[in-house]
Every structure is written in structure tokens, then in C-alpha cells.
């Protein structure tokens, strides 16, 4: 099939007649040159008056729409006409998927499209949008075969009889794609080939049936949606719409900006489409959050809203960083970055104002009482065991029991008896009276015995509250901490180790989640224990946002959650290993707290032993988990590496905390390595430093901080700490190279990790 597409692109059609109308003006792509590019030419800003139509739109980015929106609408209508010509059943839509009261989707996601290309861009976007709708429909039909139409059932029979055949919908998509490719062939062959390649690798590949459980974390979900939603095609069409072609180098330059933009668009689409698709949803970020973070629908929607706003914030920051790191950025890339911002806002505006079909709720069956139906339910006489025609009791009739009918029959049969039997009846009546008297006396005796017996014990009736409480308050602090304190060093180390260990994708994602959770939970507790440390990497610590008690509760829960995740990996002995390392981590922290409380200055050897337990255990968990789940490298020894990484990470944090102007770490009375080093080399300085710490100030006076820092400089403690950090980095590099030689496999990721280790400022810089 794709050979035929390539053939179409290698030659123009000789004839353009037929049912399909091809809008085509042969335009060759200009070569990419760094000439000034005007960003805003073909679009206009959605003003405040128009934004009043917004239905809950909360985007923080500007909103723009193409001035020739009617041209995009023409592309949508042409697509619908072509589709209804090819697809003869009732599944073909009668209106375009991109149309809305506020404009065409293509007009907001490609606001600066060249006017003569807007129609075909809208056509191709309609094709991709319809593909998604049909894929979802087919997957639902596979799970609910009883709901399939007779036409789809006939197709299934044909497949069973004749072997695997192409579905009618796939055939229709291919016909439409062929037609679109022919159109593009008249415009640009390279762009056409790129689009074909994207279709081959994504939309026309084998269909998956993803669920929220399919993804270990939200990054895996975004990666799936990126392919499933055809995001890869977006960049190609964006370049085509701007009259240029982006190279691999361009994509590499724009990676960070594109990633944030894609997340914003994906989360926005999920947020607004949930009302339409929640009944049959398999993969939606709201469903993912409900299952993985145990949130209610409303809590998951609110969390998704935060993800959207965060993605928009990340986009703006990454775009600023791009401009700063590339002052000579090519004009066409700068325009792309600017248009992306408007596209994110425009997609949000379009989604918020595009009406979705209401979700049909299942109506509960009404309970029918016996009184309301005179004992008849659904046409059946529940009293007499007979059924009335049409389920109704005829007018004027009453429902009688079988006993009443029997009595009536006996009365009728006795009317004809002779009067000669009266005397015998009198004798029988006397005997019956005697028997009734005896039975009555027996009943009285039984009743008396029952009244004397104590009542049987019954358990109290406990009413279960119908209110369902989710875990949103429990997981909020840990989620916040993970956001503000991501550890790049651990992530880089995992990339290095995985080249040797070859951990499969899903276990690797779980290991990363486990390590991130452990890091964040430990950090939350440390911030509370460090005399209410208020700042974490320039942002408020979790306990200031959610309270100390809730933050401690969240940290404790996270340790339980991590244990469950480790257990789910089915690695023998790994859960015991995790608990051992956690125990060592708590022991190390206990000595850190003990020295601070008792104002005892440990020796350097004691301080190193504390670090090995407190910081080294996290890195040891990382390596042990990766070795347990990896396909290779189970015999490699990483013990020395984990000790060195723990020391480097902890001492570097100690050192950097004294380089900031406020030096809030001194308010906590924390015994960092530079202070331990200073006290060991200069006893006089030790007396001054601990004398100042004994003053019990909530905030150490600025003069006292300056005095301590001068002592650290004068004693050479800061310089010694700097040299120790550099030495630890060199030892780590040497250890990694030794492991590389033992593994007999070169590791290209070593350079990036080593570079990150050397990023330490000189004292006083």
C-alpha cells in the first residue's frame, strides 16, 4: 500500500477529474534560511469580548485564530463529502469533527498557516481525528460484541470464512489518505513522504487496547497518547503550514519546548473530553489518576487541571530558556515556538467551547410493590401463581387466594346434603370442642415457658456510612514534593546503569517511581525535622503548604506504597532488601538528629558513617532493584559506587546550602560537613560556633551567620569540602570506568553523568 503512495508522490496525476475536488496550487518549499520572519500575519487575537463565550476556559496563554477560518471549514466540509462518498454505511459523520461555534480546530492549532494551505491542512487533521474516533469505536465493539451492528457482524463472518481481510473502515481511511497524498504530491514530495511515514508508524499500525493499568506512570501514558493522537504528525504539518520543513536538528533544538506543549494539549483534550468518553474510556489521564492515585472523579479532574496549568508554565519557562541558550535561534524556529504558545491556548479555547454529546446515564429499574399492582407484576399473578393477559387484572375482578377458592367450592358442594346428618354433626362438634380445649391448654403452657426463657442475644445493627473518601489529601504532599525536588543525579545514574543491566521498560518505570517516591518521602520528613525547614529548591516545603501532620502522614503512606510496588516486581528477597535499607536510612537520620539536639560535634569518621546509612541506602535500593529486574549484569558489584554516590550527594548539598545568601541551614543548627571539618581542625572555632547554636534563635541573626561563614573560610573548611566533592566525583568516574571494563560494554551515557557531578561552584564564587 505504501509503495502505491510513494508512486503517487513520484509523479503528478495526469487527470484531476472525478468525484473528488482537489484544491491544489503547485508550491515548492523554500530553502530554510535565517532571514527575519514576521510571526503574526495570518491570525488575530481572540479579544476579551469573544472570550466571554468561554465555557470554563482557564488557559494562561494567549488565544489566536486564523483570519481565514472559513477556509479551514471548507476543508472540513470537503472531507465529510469525500467520506460519505466512500463510506456508504451509517457510520460516516455528516459534519466535520473540527467544527465548533468558535471556529475550526485547524484555525486555532495552525493559526499562522499559509492561507492557500489551510484547506488541505484541515482536511488532513479531519482524517486523523476521525481515525481516533473509529479506533475507539472498534475497540469498544470488540469488548461488547452484542452491541455490534448487523453490518459489522457480516464483516466478521466474512473474515472467518475468507481469512484475515482489511476492515471496511481501514479501507476507507486508506482511500482518503491516498486522495490526500495526491493533493500533497502537487505541493511538496518531502512533506508527503514524511506524512506517509508517520501514518505507517502510528495510525495504520496494529491497534492496541490500552487501559489505565497499562501505564506504570504518567510519562508512559503521555508517550502512548503522543503516538495514538498523532502528535508526531503535528510538527510535520506545522512546518508545511508555515511553508518550511523542519529538520532533525530543528526537532532536537525544540525538544524541551515541544514536550511541554504536547503535554498541555494532551491533558487539555483529556480534561474536556472526559464528559464525553468517561463511559467507554480506556486511556484518559483522569481515569489514570483515579486508578493510580486513588482519587475521586472530581479530585482527578482538579489534579488534571493542575497538570494543564503546570504544563503551560513549563512551556513558557522552557521557551524562555531556549531563547536564552540560543540567542541566534533560526527565525523559523522562533516563530514555531511563538505559534506553539498560541496553539496551546487556542486548543484550550476550542475544547472548552465545543459541545460534546451528553453521557447517557443508565436509569435504575423501578421497584414495583405488590399493593400498586394488586399482586400482579409483569403480567404474573404472584398471589395465585397465574398470569393475566397483558399483565393486568380485568376490571371488576379481585384477586383471591387459593384457600378462598377451595372454601367456596366446599360451600357449593355442601348445599345439596340431606338434613338427616345433623345429629351426627352434633356429636362430632362435641368431640371437636374437647380437642380444641386440650390444644388451647397446651399452647398456654408453651407460651408460658417461652416467656420465662431469656431473650437470645443479637448483635447491634451498625450502619455503614455511604460516604466514600478518596486519598487525595494523602497523596497531595508527596505529589507536590516530587514536583519541586526531582533528582536529576539519580535519573542520570539509572540511564548509565541500564546500558549494562538492560531493565525492560515497565520494570524500569516502576524502579524510577520507587526511587523518586523514597527520595521525596525522606525529603518531606527531613524538612520537618530540620527545625521546620521552609524552602526546597526555591519553593515552599510541603509542610508549609499542607501542614506538618499531613506531610508526615503522606510520607509514612509513601513508604507503605513503595513496599507494595517492590513486592509487585516479584523479585525474591527484594522486599527484605528494601526494608533493610530503609532501616539503615532511619538509623542514619537518628544520629543526625541526636547530634543536633545534644549539640555534640561528631568526628569526620562518624559523620561519614551517618552519610553511608542515610544517603547511601537510597542509591543502594536503586542498584539492587535494577539488578533484580535487569536482563544482564546480575554479577556486577555496585557497592562502592553507591557509597561514593551517597557521600557525594549529601556533602554537595551541605556545601551548596552554605553558598546561598540567606544561609537558612544555619537557622536550623544543622551540623553539615563543613562545620564538622571546621570544628575538627580549629577547636577555638568550634567553641564559637556551638556557642551561637546554643542561643536557640528561631532565626539566627545575620551577624552570627557572617561570623560562622568567616570561621569556615578562615579554617579552610569550605575549601576542603570543595576539594572533597571534586575527589568524590573523580572516584565515581573511576569506579564507573572500572565497571565498564568488567562489563565489557562501552557506556556512552557516562559523560553526561560525570559532567553533572563536576557542576560545583568554587568557594566564594
Amino acid at each position: 500500500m505504501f509503495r502505491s503512495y510513494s508512486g503517487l508522490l513520484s509523479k503528478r496525476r495526469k487527470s484531476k477529474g472525478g468525484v473528488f475536488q482537489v484544491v491544489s496550487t503547485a508550491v515548492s518549499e523554500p530553502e530554510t534560511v535565517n532571514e527575519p520572519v514576521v510571526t503574526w500575519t495570518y491570525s488575530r487575537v481572540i479579544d476579551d469580548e469573544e472570550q466571554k463565550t468561554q465555557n470554563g476556559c482557564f488557559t494562561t496563554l494567549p488565544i489566536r485564530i486564523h483570519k481565514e477560518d472559513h477556509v479551514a471549514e471548507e476543508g472540513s466540509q470537503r472531507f465529510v463529502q469525500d467520506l460519505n462518498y466512500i463510506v456508504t454505511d451509517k457510520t460516516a459523520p455528516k459534519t466535520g469533527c473540527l467544527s465548533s461555534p468558535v471556529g475550526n480546530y485547524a484555525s486555532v492549532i495552525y493559526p499562522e498557516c499559509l492561507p492557500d494551505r489551510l484547506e488541505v491542512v484541515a482536511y488532513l487533521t479531519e482524517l486523523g481525528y476521525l481515525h481516533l474516533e473509529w479506533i475507539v469505536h472498534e475497540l469498544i465493539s470488540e469488548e461488547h460484541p452484542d452491541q455490534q451492528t448487523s453490518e459489522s457482524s457480516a464483516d466478521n463472518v466474512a473474515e472467518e470464512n475468507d481469512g484475515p481481510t482489511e476492515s471496511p473502515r481501514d479501507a476507507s481511511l486508506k482511500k482518503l489518505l491516498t486522495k490526500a497524498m495526491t493533493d500533497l504530491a502537487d505541493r511538496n514530495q518531502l512533506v508527503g513522504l514524511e506524512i506517509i511515514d508517520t501514518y505507517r508508524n502510528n495510525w495504520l499500525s496494529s491497534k492496541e487496547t490500552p487501559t489505565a493499568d497499562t501505564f506504570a506512570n504518567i510519562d508512559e501514558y503521555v508517550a502512548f497518547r503522543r503516538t495514538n493522537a498523532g502528535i508526531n504528525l503535528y510538527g510535520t504539518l506545522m512546518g508545511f503550514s508555515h511553508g518550511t520543513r523542519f529538520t532533525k536538528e530543528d526537532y532536537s533544538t525544540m525538544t524541551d519546548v515541544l514536550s511541554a506543549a504536547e503535554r498541555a494539549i494532551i491533558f487539555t483534550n483529556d480534561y474536556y473530553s472526559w464528559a464525553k468518553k468517561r463511559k467507554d474510556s480506556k486511556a484518559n489521564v483522569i481515569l489514570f489518576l483515579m486508578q493510580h492515585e486513588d482519587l475521586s472523579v472530581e479530585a482527578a479532574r482538579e489534579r488534571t487541571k493542575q497538570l494543564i496549568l503546570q504544563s503551560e508554565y513549563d512551556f513558557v519557562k522552557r521557551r524562555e530558556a531556549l531563547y536564552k541558550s540560543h540567542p541566534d535561534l533560526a527565525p523559523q524556529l522562533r516563530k514555531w515556538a511563538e505559534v506553539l504558545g498560541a496553539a496551546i491556548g487556542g486548543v484550550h479555547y476550542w475544547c472548552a467551547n465545543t459541545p460534546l454529546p451528553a453521557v447517557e446515564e443508565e436509569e435504575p429499574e423501578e421497584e414495583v410493590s405488590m399493593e400498586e399492582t394488586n399482586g400482579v407484576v409483569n403480567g404474573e399473578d404472584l398471589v395465585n401463581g397465574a398470569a393475566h393477559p397483558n399483565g393486568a387484572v380485568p376490571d371488576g375482578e379481585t384477586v383471591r387466594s387459593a384457600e378462598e377458592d377451595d372454601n367456596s367450592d366446599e360451600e357449593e358442594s355442601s348445599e345439596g346434603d340431606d338434613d338427616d346428618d345433623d345429629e351426627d354433626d352434633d356429636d362430632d362438634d362435641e368431640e371437636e370442642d374437647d380437642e380444641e380445649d386440650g390444644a388451647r391448654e397446651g399452647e398456654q403452657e408453651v407460651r408460658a415457658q417461652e416467656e420465662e426463657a431469656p431473650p437470645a442475644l443479637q448483635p447491634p445493627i451498625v450502619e455503614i456510612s455511604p460516604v466514600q473518601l478518596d486519598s487525595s489529601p494523602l497523596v497531595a504532599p508527596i505529589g507536590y514534593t516530587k514536583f519541586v525536588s526531582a533528582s536529576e543525579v539519580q535519573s542520570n545514574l539509572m540511564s548509565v546503569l541500564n546500558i549494562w543491566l538492560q531493565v525492560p521498560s515497565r520494570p524500569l518505570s516502576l524502579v524510577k517511581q520507587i526511587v523518586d517516591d523514597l527520595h521525596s518521602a525522606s525529603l518531606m520528613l527531613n524538612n520537618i525535622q530540620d527545625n521546620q525547614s521552609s524552602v526546597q529548591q526555591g519553593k515552599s516545603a510541603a509542610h508549609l503548604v499542607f501542614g506538618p501532620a499531613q506531610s508526615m502522614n503522606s510520607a509514612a503512606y509513601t513508604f507503605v506504597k513503595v513496599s507494595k510496588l517492590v513486592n509487585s516486581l516479584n523479585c525474591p528477597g527484594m522486599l527484605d532488601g528494601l526494608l533493610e535499607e530503609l532501616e539503615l536510612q532511619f538509623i542514619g537520620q537518628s544520629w543526625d538528629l541526636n547530634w543536633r539536639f545534644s549539640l555534640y560535634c561528631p568526628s569526620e569518621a562518624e559523620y561519614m558513617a551517618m552519610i553511608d546509612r542515610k544517603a547511601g541506602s537510597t542509591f543502594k535500593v536503586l542498584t539492587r532493584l535494577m539488578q533484580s529486574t535487569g536482563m544482564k549484569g546480575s554479577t556486577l558489584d555496585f557497592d562502592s559506587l553507591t557509597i561514593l554516590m551517597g557521600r557525594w550527594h549529601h556533602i554537595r548539598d551541605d556545601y551548596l546550602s552554605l553558598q546561598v545568601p540567606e544561609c537558612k541551614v544555619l537557622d536550623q543548627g544543622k551540623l553539615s560537613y563543613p562545620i564538622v571539618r571546621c570544628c575538627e581542625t580549629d577547636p577555638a572555632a568550634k567553641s564559637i560556633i556551638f556557642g551561637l547554636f546554643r542561643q536557640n534563635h528561631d532565626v539566627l541573626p545575620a551577624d552570627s551567620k557572617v561570623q560562622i561563614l568567616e570561621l569556615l573560610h578562615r579554617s579552610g573548611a569550605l575549601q576542603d569540602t570543595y576539594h572533597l566533592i571534586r575527589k568524590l566525583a573523580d572516584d565515581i568516574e573511576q569506579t564507573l570506568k572500572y565497571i565498564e571494563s568488567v562489563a565489557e560494554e562501552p557506556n556512552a551515557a557516562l559523560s553526561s553523568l560525570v559532567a553533572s557531578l563536576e557542576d560545583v561552584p568554587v568557594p566564594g564564587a
Side-chain angles (χ1 to χ4, degrees):
M1 166 193 152
F2 288 100
R3 290 197 190 97
S4 65
Y5 288 167
S6 300
L8 284 172
L9 293 173
S10 64
K11 60 181 179 180
R12 298 175 184 271
R13 289 191 309 174
K14 296 181 179 179
S15 172
K16 295 184 181 179
V19 176
F20 297 126
Q21 218 181 6
V22 180
V23 178
S24 172
T25 53
V27 179
S28 61
E29 299 294 349
E31 295 184 1
T32 301
V33 293
N34 290 351
E35 297 179 355
V37 175
V38 178
T39 303
W40 308 117
T41 303
Y42 305 113
S43 63
R44 63 178 180 82
V45 177
I46 299 293
D47 56 32
D48 294 338
E49 191 64 28
E50 286 182 275
Q51 291 186 35
K52 289 181 181 179
T53 62
Q54 293 178 8
N55 183 19
C57 182
F58 54 86
T59 181
T60 60
L61 296 173
I63 304 169
R64 302 184 72 93
I65 189 170
H66 204 287
K67 296 176 182 177
E68 306 293 332
D69 177 61
H70 66 280
V71 176
E73 192 61 26
E74 290 172 3
S76 292
Q77 294 305 317
R78 180 167 66 91
F79 174 83
V80 172
Q81 293 173 5
D82 292 351
L83 180 63
N84 279 272
Y85 178 81
I86 293 175
V87 182
T88 57
D89 60 24
K90 298 179 181 180
T91 61
K94 304 305 178 185
T95 58
C97 299
L98 309 186
S99 302
S100 85
V102 295
N104 193 279
Y105 183 81
S107 296
V108 295
I109 199 168
Y110 304 104
E112 283 297 309
C113 180
L114 295 173
D116 66 327
R117 301 189 178 193
L118 184 58
E119 198 266 359
V120 71
V121 166
Y123 188 102
L124 287 170
T125 308
E126 284 279 6
L127 177 60
Y129 209 108
L130 178 69
H131 167 79
L132 287 178
E133 293 294 325
W134 277 4
I135 289 296
V136 171
H137 183 276
E138 288 183 11
L139 293 176
I140 293 171
S141 298
E142 290 172 7
E143 292 191 355
H144 305 286
D146 56 312
Q147 297 178 7
Q148 292 183 11
T149 64
S150 58
E151 293 164 315
S152 63
S153 300
D155 294 337
N156 293 340
V157 172
E159 289 186 10
E160 292 176 3
N161 294 337
D162 302 331
T165 59
E166 186 177 57
S167 72
R169 284 179 173 159
D170 279 346
S172 300
L173 286 172
K174 290 178 182 179
K175 288 180 181 178
L176 290 170
L177 182 58
T178 302
K179 186 236 176 287
M181 292 307 101
T182 304
D183 195 354
L184 280 177
D186 291 330
R187 298 167 182 267
N188 185 280
Q189 291 188 2
L190 288 176
V191 173
L193 288 172
E194 287 182 11
I195 294 175
I196 285 177
D197 187 60
T198 303
Y199 270 80
R200 177 173 57 223
N201 294 331
N202 298 295
W203 286 348
L204 296 181
S205 60
S206 59
K207 304 176 181 67
E208 300 179 59
T209 309
T211 63
D213 293 334
T214 306
F215 314 107
N217 53 51
I218 202 164
D219 291 332
E220 281 193 11
Y221 170 75
V222 170
F224 163 77
R225 290 282 281 114
R226 189 178 189 278
T227 300
N228 174 262
I231 294 292
N232 293 330
L233 182 63
Y234 179 50
T236 303
L237 282 179
M238 180 69 83
F240 174 72
S241 72
H242 288 181
T244 186
R245 178 174 175 269
F246 300 126
T247 65
K248 291 183 178 180
E249 291 75 16
D250 293 337
Y251 281 104
S252 178
T253 301
M254 297 284 290
T255 295
D256 289 344
V257 174
L258 285 172
S259 175
E262 290 164 358
R263 292 174 75 93
I265 291 174
I266 289 170
F267 294 152
T268 299
N269 180 273
D270 283 3
Y271 181 84
Y272 286 106
S273 67
W274 174 253
K276 173 183 178 182
K277 300 179 180 177
R278 68 174 183 267
K279 190 174 181 181
D280 297 314
S281 274
K282 292 177 175 57
N284 183 293
V285 71
I286 293 177
L287 184 63
F288 175 88
L289 294 171
M290 289 169 61
Q291 295 192 7
H292 285 256
E293 297 188 10
D294 194 21
L295 301 179
S296 65
V297 173
E298 291 304 319
R301 280 176 57 84
E302 184 61 30
R303 177 88 172 90
T304 303
K305 184 176 180 179
Q306 295 173 5
L307 288 174
I308 294 170
L309 294 175
Q310 184 59 50
S311 297
E312 291 184 356
Y313 174 82
D314 290 344
F315 169 79
V316 173
K317 288 297 182 183
R318 293 182 185 185
R319 187 173 60 181
E320 292 174 355
L322 174 68
Y323 294 162
K324 187 175 181 181
S325 61
H326 295 77
D328 57 345
L329 184 67
Q332 67 270 17
L333 296 187
R334 181 177 288 271
K335 176 174 181 175
W336 188 9
E338 290 295 323
V339 171
L340 272 176
I344 296 171
V347 169
H348 195 126
Y349 175 69
W350 185 90
C351 290
N353 289 281
T354 301
L356 297 173
V359 178
E360 296 181 3
E361 302 290 346
E362 295 183 1
E363 297 183 1
E365 295 184 2
E366 297 183 1
E367 295 185 0
V368 183
S369 67
M370 293 284 290
E371 293 179 357
E372 292 174 347
T373 60
N374 293 327
V376 177
V377 178
N378 295 332
E380 183 177 355
D381 187 343
L382 300 183
V383 177
N384 298 329
H388 286 282
N390 303 322
V393 181
D395 294 338
E397 292 189 14
T398 58
V399 180
R400 297 189 302 174
S401 67
E403 182 180 354
E404 292 174 335
D405 289 340
D406 292 342
N407 291 338
S408 175
D409 293 342
E410 291 177 0
E411 290 175 0
E412 292 174 359
S413 63
S414 63
E415 288 178 356
D417 289 345
D418 295 331
D419 295 337
D420 296 339
D421 296 334
D422 292 343
E423 294 180 2
D424 294 337
D425 292 341
D426 292 340
D427 294 338
D428 293 338
D429 290 342
E430 291 178 1
E431 293 177 0
E432 290 177 0
D433 292 340
D434 293 339
E435 292 176 359
E436 291 177 359
D437 292 341
R440 194 177 297 110
E441 292 176 359
E443 291 176 0
Q444 292 175 351
E445 292 178 1
V446 172
R447 193 179 299 111
Q449 292 175 358
E450 291 177 350
E451 291 176 354
E452 294 177 0
L457 292 176
Q458 298 291 335
I461 298 175
V462 179
E463 294 185 3
I464 306 299
S465 174
V467 178
Q468 298 293 326
L469 299 178
D470 60 39
S471 62
S472 53
L474 184 61
V475 300
I478 192 70
Y480 173 84
T481 304
K482 288 171 70 175
F483 168 68
V484 301
S485 63
S487 176
E488 293 184 1
V489 174
Q490 292 172 347
S491 178
N492 290 339
L493 179 60
M494 289 183 68
S495 298
V496 171
L497 297 181
N498 198 42
I499 291 179
W500 295 320
L501 302 179
Q502 296 295 302
V503 182
S505 176
R506 181 170 175 78
L508 184 64
S509 298
L510 288 175
V511 171
K512 185 179 187 303
Q513 182 179 349
I514 289 168
V515 173
D516 288 346
D517 284 347
L518 285 178
H519 172 74
S520 300
S522 301
L523 194 59
M524 278 199 299
L525 291 178
N526 290 348
N527 286 338
I528 297 172
Q529 293 164 352
D530 287 343
N531 291 341
Q532 303 288 306
S533 175
S534 60
V535 177
Q536 182 65 46
Q537 295 187 1
K539 293 183 174 61
S540 299
H543 65 269
L544 296 182
V545 179
F546 304 96
Q550 189 66 273
S551 297
M552 288 189 290
N553 191 38
S554 181
Y557 162 77
T558 302
F559 289 121
V560 175
K561 177 186 174 185
V562 164
S563 299
K564 292 174 65 177
L565 282 176
V566 170
N567 195 45
S568 70
L569 291 174
N570 295 322
C571 298
M574 196 57 241
L575 182 58
D576 291 338
L578 171 70
L579 297 177
E580 290 172 7
E581 299 302 333
L582 286 178
E583 182 179 7
L584 291 176
Q585 181 176 335
F586 284 119
I587 290 174
Q589 175 71 351
S590 70
W591 280 108
D592 193 5
L593 297 173
N594 177 269
W595 294 333
R596 188 189 317 162
F597 176 77
S598 61
L599 291 175
Y600 169 81
C601 184
S603 65
E604 287 190 53
E606 289 175 322
Y607 195 81
M608 288 296 180
M610 182 272 294
I611 292 175
D612 292 345
R613 287 162 176 77
K614 179 179 177 179
S617 62
T618 301
F619 289 98
K620 188 168 288 187
V621 167
L622 186 154
T623 57
R624 290 178 69 172
L625 282 173
M626 291 189 69
Q627 277 190 297
S628 299
T629 55
M631 307 294 289
K632 300 167 55 179
S634 59
T635 59
L636 295 176
D637 185 2
F638 296 111
D639 286 347
S640 297
L641 177 64
T642 57
I643 292 174
L644 291 171
M645 289 295 300
R647 291 179 179 179
W648 176 88
H649 192 267
H650 189 94
I651 295 174
R652 178 177 177 272
D653 280 353
D654 285 350
Y655 175 77
L656 293 178
S657 66
L658 295 171
Q659 302 297 310
V660 296
E662 300 86 356
C663 276
K664 291 189 176 182
V665 68
L666 295 177
D667 295 331
Q668 306 161 14
K670 186 176 178 63
L671 297 177
S672 59
Y673 178 82
I675 290 179
V676 172
R677 177 67 178 170
C678 177
C679 292
E680 191 162 284
T681 57
D682 189 345
K686 174 181 177 180
S687 299
I688 297 173
I689 291 173
F690 276 82
L692 294 173
F693 281 164
R694 287 190 183 94
Q695 301 306 311
N696 292 327
H697 293 289
D698 290 336
V699 178
L700 199 65
D703 293 342
S704 298
K705 292 181 181 179
V706 171
Q707 187 176 6
I708 293 175
L709 290 175
E710 288 177 350
L711 291 172
L712 296 178
H713 278 286
R714 190 174 64 191
S715 66
L718 282 178
Q719 192 70 27
D720 292 344
T721 304
Y722 172 77
H723 289 309
L724 176 59
I725 296 171
R726 296 300 298 266
K727 183 180 183 304
L728 288 170
D730 292 340
D731 291 345
I732 291 171
E733 181 179 7
Q734 184 177 351
T735 302
L736 286 170
K737 288 183 177 179
Y738 171 75
I739 297 174
E740 184 179 40
S741 66
V742 173
E744 298 181 348
E745 185 172 357
N747 198 323
L750 280 176
S751 58
S752 61
L753 175 61
V754 172
S756 67
L757 298 177
E758 295 175 349
D759 184 20
V760 183
V762 178

